[in-house]
């Protein structure tokens, strides 16, 4: 049913309960036309991953890799009429989103990279994957691709890249992009030392929006397996990626808070956003706008961008009979919440997202903790399987306004509210996760102060009651217009709300009804509506509406201690200096010691070399080098040898050492070892005494922040590891 038809029916249904003087009031459309350009995008990456083995029942996860997902990005998957991504997805929101082609669209043939650049940053499409553009030069391919995407109703084409480029290469690629009308690059790692792409676009095409990232140390925030009262992200003060993040926010247009596990997506993302905003607020040099991935409701409440990847497919690819979707798993059923993304796109027409450094930011002292148990159906991060994962975030967050007041008996929701620079207010209530219930919506009475009563108010989520508190009485207001963000016409709901002096109160059940009225059948999205007052005296708050706060420069004391051993190493294994270098002893399985690198490695290629040998004659002999994103080696690469078993091994860390990727090799005597890592390709190669073993690793290992040693019920000698950047 078309939106206009729905609006008419909606007016008739609601009018029956309204006072007579509102029956014939014509409702305006509170949602303006779409903008010419947007920085919100729908991205192919989740669909690419789900297409691996689509139509089959997998018996294991061996083939579910980033490399396999790259191979799924092809012309047919995008454009076929039956189930193509560009032809079938986001049908009611395309004009508000870029269609962004992710990892896998660029050529695999180095000889075709006519302007140079690394494997994933050359802007030359793979000819065999896109035959409709065969024979065209790169800039013409981009132009035609963009035209084909726009012809399907999308705002424009966005492109994915990763790696480092020279300033000359960057200028060429920006010229191609400008010619083609491309307005968005997702730079998924790399170019964060010189920011050459940013320099080139500022010089040649300032309208081009560039997204940079640092990674986030994995898809969950650190210390998730410990019993703490707070789980900060790597962006927090003192976090290993704090300084890289702050640099990016000064030299980019958007900054993505990075991947988060779907089971704990909101709390993980809220914490990262909090850790960034508390430091960057009121400092215009932090010019980048935050992108919170696919948390569309949170985005309305915090004035940020969205990189939606959700799609409606479910039970089309299973693991041992159960739907397998590492990016959209769980009771929340993101596959059935497409309208949330479409509503957010329409809200962004009313209130565009704004930079991290603009305005003030506040958060509650109360921090909420969400927990649940992870399984192989929920994530590719095998080190979490069978474990309870904990994450936390402030209960209430606000930008450019006082904190909302939340009243509830029992577990509260997450509440976010923002007064946007152009005037509107966005309010969001988000759900919770517990061990017993992996997605639920606590309903609270939420009171929000509104600065300007004449401005639109966006409301998303579930409430017991929402109270809007204005600067003065609104009892003489003539209309209270409201509409589902998916509607094209508002209705007067004055007779359905309570006005008492300066307060307007809306029942949560009515928000549920009105905020989903124009939704699609079977869609489980949270309500999303916009409200606007008209007539009478519409008060505006004084200057004291905006709280006086300062950016946070010191973090709370951490609740855990790290006991340093020799040369700054720390961990469960015992390390001591020896004439050989280091002696590392493990009294149990899979014990590690690490030390922090002076500078995180977030992109590009590097090597690490070392030698090792058993420290005693015990039957159990082994040794690993450990390259880790986090200080607990949860997101880490381990490479070395099961010396006693005459095997060399290279694997992504989990709790079950021994069931890893290995090959036979005579490992008697001293071992000369090297690990070569390509963070852009997500590959690693171990060489021991001239023999090699190679693996592809997951997005969990997004950066290398720590280096160290790992041993398994053994006693091993290691030389000082040497890192070589390439």
């Amino acid at each position: 049913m078309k939106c206009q038809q729905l609006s008419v029916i909606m007016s008739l249904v609601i009018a029956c309960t309204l006072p007579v003087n509102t029956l014939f009031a014509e409702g305006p459309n509170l949602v303006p036309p779409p903008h010419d350009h947007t920085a919100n995008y729908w991205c192919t990456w989740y669909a690419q991953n789900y297409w691996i083995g689509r139509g089959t029942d997998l018996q294991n996860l061996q083939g579910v890799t980033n490399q396999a997902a790259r191979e799924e990005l092809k012309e047919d998957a995008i454009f076929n009429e039956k189930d193509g991504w560009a032809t079938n997805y986001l049908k009611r929101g395309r004009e508000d989103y870029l269609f962004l082609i992710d990892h896998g669209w660029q050529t695999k043939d180095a000889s075709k990279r006519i302007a140079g650049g690394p494997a994933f940053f050359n802007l030359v499409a793979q000819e065999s994957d896109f035959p409709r553009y065969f024979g065209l030069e790169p800039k013409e391919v981009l132009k035609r691709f963009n035209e084909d995407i726009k012809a399907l109703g999308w705002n424009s084409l966005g492109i994915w890249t990763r790696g480092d480029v020279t300033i000359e290469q960057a200028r060429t690629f920006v010229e191609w992009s400008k010619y083609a009308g491309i307005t968005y690059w997702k730079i998924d790692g790399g170019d964060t030392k010189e920011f050459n792409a940013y320099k080139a676009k500022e010089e040649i095409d300032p309208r081009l929006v560039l997204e940079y990232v640092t990674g986030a140390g994995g898809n969950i925030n650190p210390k998730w397996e410990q019993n703490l009262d707070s789980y900060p992200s790597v962006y927090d003060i003192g976090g290993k990626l704090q300084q890289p993040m702050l640099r990016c926010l000064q030299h980019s247009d958007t900054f993505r808070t990075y991947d988060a596990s779907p089971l704990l997506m909101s709390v993980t993302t809220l914490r990262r956003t909090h850790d960034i905003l508390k430091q960057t607020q009121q400092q215009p040099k932090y010019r980048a706008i935050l992108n919170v991935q696919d948390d569309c409701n949170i985005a309305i409440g915090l004035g940020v961008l969205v990189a939606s990847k959700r799609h409606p497919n479910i039970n089309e690819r299973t693991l041992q009979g159960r739907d397998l979707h590492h990016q959209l798993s769980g009771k929340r059923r993101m596959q059935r919440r497409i309208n949330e993304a479409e509503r957010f796109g329409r809200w962004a027409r009313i209130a565009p997202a704004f930079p991290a450094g603009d305005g003030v930011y506040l958060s509650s002292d109360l921090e909420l903790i969400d927990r649940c148990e992870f399984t192989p159906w929920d994530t590719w991060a095998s080190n979490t399987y069978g474990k309870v994962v904990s994450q936390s975030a402030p209960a209430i967050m606000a930008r450019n306004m006082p904190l909302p007041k939340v009243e509830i008996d029992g577990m509260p929701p997450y509440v976010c509210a923002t007064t946007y620079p152009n005037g509107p207010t966005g309010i969001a209530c988000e759900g919770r996760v517990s061990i017993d219930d992996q997605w639920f919506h606590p309903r609270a009475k939420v009171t929000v102060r509104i600065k300007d009563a004449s401005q639109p108010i966006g409301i998303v989520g579930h409430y017991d009651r929402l109270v809007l508190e204005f600067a003065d009485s609104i009892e003489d207001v003539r209309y209270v217009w409201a509409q589902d963000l998916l509607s094209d016409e508002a209705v007067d709901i004055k007779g359905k709300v309570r006005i008492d002096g300066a307060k307007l109160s809306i029942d949560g059940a009515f928000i549920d009804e009105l905020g989903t009225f124009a939704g699609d059948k079977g869609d489980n999205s949270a309500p999303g509506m916009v409200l606007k007052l008209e007539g009478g005296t519409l008060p505006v708050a004084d200057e004291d509406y905006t709280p006086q706060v300062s950016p946070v420069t010191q973090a709370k004391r951490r609740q855990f201690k790290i006991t340093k051993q020799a040369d700054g190493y720390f961990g469960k294994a015992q390390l001591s200096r020896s004439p050989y270098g280091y002696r590392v002893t493990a009294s149990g399985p899979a014990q590690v010691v690490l030390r922090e690198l002076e500078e995180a490695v977030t992109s590009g290629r590097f090597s690490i070399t070392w030698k090792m040998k058993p420290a005693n004659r015990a039957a159990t002999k082994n040794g690993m080098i450990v390259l880790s994103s986090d200080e607990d080696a949860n997101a880490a690469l381990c490479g070395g040898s099961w010396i006693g078993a005459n095997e060399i091994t290279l694997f992504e860390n989990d709790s079950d050492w021994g069931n890893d990727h290995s090959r036979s090799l005579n490992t008697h005597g001293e071992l000369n070892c090297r690990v070569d890592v390509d963070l852009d390709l997500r590959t690693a190669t171990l060489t021991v005494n001239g023999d090699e073993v190679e693996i592809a690793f997951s997005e969990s290992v997004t950066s290398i922040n720590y280096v160290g040693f790992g041993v398994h019920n053994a006693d091993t000698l290691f030389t000082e590891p040497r890192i070589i950047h390439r």
Side-chain angles (χ1 to χ4, degrees):
M1 187 176 294
K2 297 185 181 295
C3 292
Q4 188 173 7
Q5 294 172 316
L6 281 171
S7 298
V8 172
I9 295 172
M10 180 179 175
S11 300
L12 293 173
V13 171
I14 295 181
C16 294
T17 66
L18 299 181
V20 173
N21 67 343
T22 67
L23 280 175
F24 303 101
E26 294 183 3
N29 184 0
L30 302 180
V31 180
H35 300 305
D36 290 338
H37 300 291
T38 182
N40 296 298
Y41 60 85
W42 184 87
C43 175
T44 60
W45 185 241
Y46 286 5
Q48 288 174 240
N49 280 269
Y50 196 67
W51 255 238
I52 302 169
R54 182 172 175 239
T56 65
D57 180 41
L58 304 178
Q59 295 306 301
N60 56 60
L61 298 175
Q62 290 180 0
V64 184
T65 65
N66 284 353
Q67 287 68 25
R70 295 203 299 261
E71 296 303 314
E72 297 297 336
L73 183 53
K74 299 178 181 179
E75 177 182 312
D76 182 69
I78 293 174
F79 291 113
N80 86 79
E81 290 294 330
K82 179 183 177 183
D83 55 8
W85 308 331
T87 53
N88 286 275
Y89 293 165
L90 227 61
K91 292 182 178 179
R92 300 175 67 179
R94 293 178 188 172
E95 63 269 34
D96 298 308
Y97 284 88
L98 297 148
F99 183 91
L100 192 139
I101 48 174
D102 206 271
H103 204 353
W105 73 275
Q106 293 172 93
T107 183
K108 304 173 183 67
D109 185 347
S111 68
K112 298 292 180 63
R113 300 168 195 158
I114 65 173
F120 300 137
F121 204 152
N122 57 76
L123 271 67
V124 178
Q126 173 66 30
E127 287 184 336
S128 60
D129 290 342
F130 301 98
R132 66 169 61 188
Y133 308 126
F134 183 82
L136 298 177
E137 60 179 304
K139 69 177 184 179
E140 291 292 346
V141 172
L142 292 174
K143 186 174 186 292
R144 284 275 302 277
F145 207 154
N146 192 22
E147 291 170 349
D148 289 347
I149 289 296
K150 293 173 75 171
L152 292 171
W154 297 88
N155 180 276
S156 186
L157 176 71
I159 57 175
W160 178 98
T161 66
R162 176 185 286 162
D164 295 317
V165 289
T166 66
I167 189 64
E168 292 77 16
Q169 291 165 346
R171 287 193 182 106
T172 298
F173 299 149
V174 172
E175 290 282 7
W176 291 355
S177 183
K178 182 178 181 179
Y179 173 83
I182 302 295
T183 58
Y184 199 100
W185 293 4
K186 173 184 176 181
I187 305 176
D188 195 14
D191 196 36
T192 53
K193 290 185 179 179
E194 300 296 331
F195 294 97
N196 283 327
Y198 182 78
K199 293 174 184 176
K201 82 99 180 182
E202 287 290 275
E203 172 189 334
I204 298 169
D205 188 13
R207 73 169 186 161
L208 175 62
V209 176
L210 298 190
E211 170 192 309
Y212 282 90
V213 296
T214 63
N219 61 338
I220 46 182
N221 295 332
K223 303 297 179 185
W224 52 265
E225 80 284 14
Q226 298 186 21
N227 186 21
L228 306 173
D229 59 12
S230 181
Y231 298 86
S233 76
V234 291
Y235 304 133
D236 199 10
I237 298 166
K240 190 56 186 172
L241 294 179
Q242 178 201 10
Q243 293 305 319
M245 173 273 293
L246 293 175
R247 286 198 302 272
C248 276
L249 264 67
Q250 296 177 67
H251 299 94
S252 62
D253 299 304
T254 68
F255 179 86
R256 185 163 50 90
T257 59
Y258 220 72
D259 302 341
S261 165
L263 295 185
L264 295 169
M265 177 180 76
S266 291
V267 59
T268 300
T269 301
L270 280 169
R271 182 62 199 225
R272 292 173 183 172
T273 306
H274 163 74
D275 287 343
I276 295 171
L277 289 177
K278 72 181 183 182
Q279 301 175 64
T280 59
Q281 58 171 307
Q282 303 177 75
Q283 299 169 83
K285 67 180 180 180
Y286 297 118
R287 62 181 308 281
I289 305 174
L290 300 187
N291 181 310
V292 294
Q293 297 259 118
D294 213 351
D295 261 306
C296 298
N297 296 336
I298 285 173
I300 289 176
L302 287 176
V304 293
L305 296 166
V306 157
S308 182
K309 303 182 184 74
R310 65 186 74 182
H311 57 86
N313 307 84
I314 193 168
N315 291 323
E316 296 176 16
R317 193 267 305 268
T318 57
L319 173 65
Q320 300 173 19
R322 176 178 161 191
D323 184 61
L324 175 66
H325 203 318
H326 285 158
Q327 290 81 17
L328 297 177
S329 69
K331 179 186 173 185
R332 193 172 181 178
R333 282 292 176 94
M334 298 294 285
Q335 300 97 326
R336 297 292 180 262
R337 292 173 176 262
I338 305 302
N339 286 163
E340 287 179 353
E342 294 165 334
R343 289 189 177 100
F344 169 77
R346 291 168 67 86
W347 169 255
R349 303 182 195 176
I350 299 170
F354 59 100
D358 285 4
V360 301
Y361 169 73
L362 293 88
S363 63
S364 63
D365 292 331
L366 175 64
E367 195 161 311
L368 308 180
I369 299 177
D370 284 5
R371 293 188 171 97
C372 64
E373 184 175 325
F374 280 32
T375 74
W377 284 267
D378 303 316
T379 177
W380 60 82
S382 59
N383 60 309
T384 64
Y385 295 167
K387 298 179 181 179
V388 172
V389 176
S390 302
Q391 301 279 268
S392 68
I396 312 171
M397 301 164 64
R399 299 181 75 185
N400 297 332
M401 63 184 296
L403 285 174
K405 180 181 178 182
V406 180
E407 301 172 78
I408 191 172
D409 292 328
M411 295 181 70
Y414 294 101
V415 176
C416 305
T418 288
T419 298
Y420 286 72
N422 66 327
T425 299
I427 307 165
C429 260
E430 194 57 286
R432 297 289 307 279
V433 175
S434 70
I435 293 175
D436 296 327
D437 193 344
Q438 290 193 355
W439 186 253
F440 61 100
H441 293 281
R443 290 180 177 267
K445 178 184 177 182
V446 178
T447 302
V448 181
R449 290 178 60 189
I450 304 297
K451 181 177 183 179
D452 187 344
S454 70
Q455 291 286 343
I457 301 168
I459 302 165
V460 290
H462 298 279
Y463 301 79
D464 176 46
R465 178 162 292 274
L466 176 63
V467 179
L468 305 177
E469 186 175 308
F470 300 93
D472 207 341
S473 174
I474 57 164
E475 289 193 342
D476 61 347
V477 68
R478 186 176 180 187
Y479 299 115
V480 180
W481 299 114
Q483 69 187 67
D484 182 337
L485 278 162
L486 283 177
S487 297
D488 291 325
E489 183 181 355
V491 293
D492 182 9
I493 63 168
K494 184 177 179 181
K496 297 290 289 183
V497 302
R498 178 180 176 182
I499 296 176
D500 185 6
K503 295 182 179 180
L504 184 153
S505 178
I506 314 174
D507 185 74
F510 183 65
I511 294 174
D512 289 350
E513 179 184 354
L514 180 59
T516 60
F517 192 89
D520 292 317
K521 183 178 180 180
D523 190 280
N524 298 330
S525 293
M529 59 180 279
V530 57
L531 177 149
K532 193 174 188 295
L533 308 184
E534 182 184 333
T537 302
L538 299 178
V540 179
D542 296 329
E543 293 297 324
D544 62 357
Y545 172 86
T546 304
Q548 299 297 310
V549 296
S550 299
V552 178
T553 57
Q554 292 182 334
K556 293 181 180 179
R557 178 177 292 181
R558 305 172 93 185
Q559 301 91 336
F560 41 86
K561 294 181 179 179
I562 294 177
T563 301
K564 295 290 181 70
Q565 302 184 51
D567 297 340
Y569 283 91
F570 60 89
K572 293 182 179 180
Q574 295 299 308
L575 176 142
S576 60
R577 292 290 293 176
S578 78
Y580 192 77
Y582 296 104
R583 182 171 185 147
V584 182
T585 304
S587 58
Q591 293 185 357
V592 171
V593 286
L594 299 171
R595 66 173 171 82
E596 189 173 3
L597 294 175
E598 290 184 4
E599 184 176 0
V601 183
T602 59
S603 67
R605 297 180 297 158
F606 71 95
S607 300
I608 183 165
T609 61
W610 76 101
K611 295 180 181 181
M612 65 183 184
K613 61 184 179 181
N616 56 32
R617 296 179 178 272
T620 303
K621 303 168 187 171
N622 57 75
M624 317 291 170
I625 206 75
V626 180
L627 305 171
S628 182
S629 290
D630 65 292
E631 60 191 33
D632 296 310
N634 285 317
L637 298 174
C638 301
S641 174
W642 299 105
I643 301 171
N646 285 319
E647 291 180 337
I648 60 174
T649 184
L650 180 62
F651 58 96
E652 195 168 341
N653 193 26
D654 59 28
S655 58
D656 191 19
W657 283 24
N659 295 320
D660 44 53
H661 187 57
S662 59
R663 57 163 295 184
S664 298
L665 176 69
N666 189 328
T667 55
H668 292 302
E670 184 178 61
L671 304 182
N672 288 283
C673 308
R674 186 181 79 244
V675 171
D676 299 300
V677 178
D678 191 322
L679 280 171
D680 301 329
L681 289 173
R682 295 288 196 266
T683 59
T685 302
L686 168 71
T687 305
V688 178
N689 290 355
D691 282 277
E692 294 183 351
V693 60
E694 182 178 0
I695 64 165
F697 54 90
S698 76
E699 297 287 332
S700 295
V701 184
T702 57
S703 59
I704 303 300
N705 305 322
Y706 302 87
V707 63
F709 311 108
V711 284
H712 182 85
N713 293 303
D715 195 2
T716 307
L717 295 175
F718 296 88
T719 61
E720 179 76 42
R722 180 171 173 241
I723 297 178
I724 306 166
H725 295 277
R726 301 190 181 279

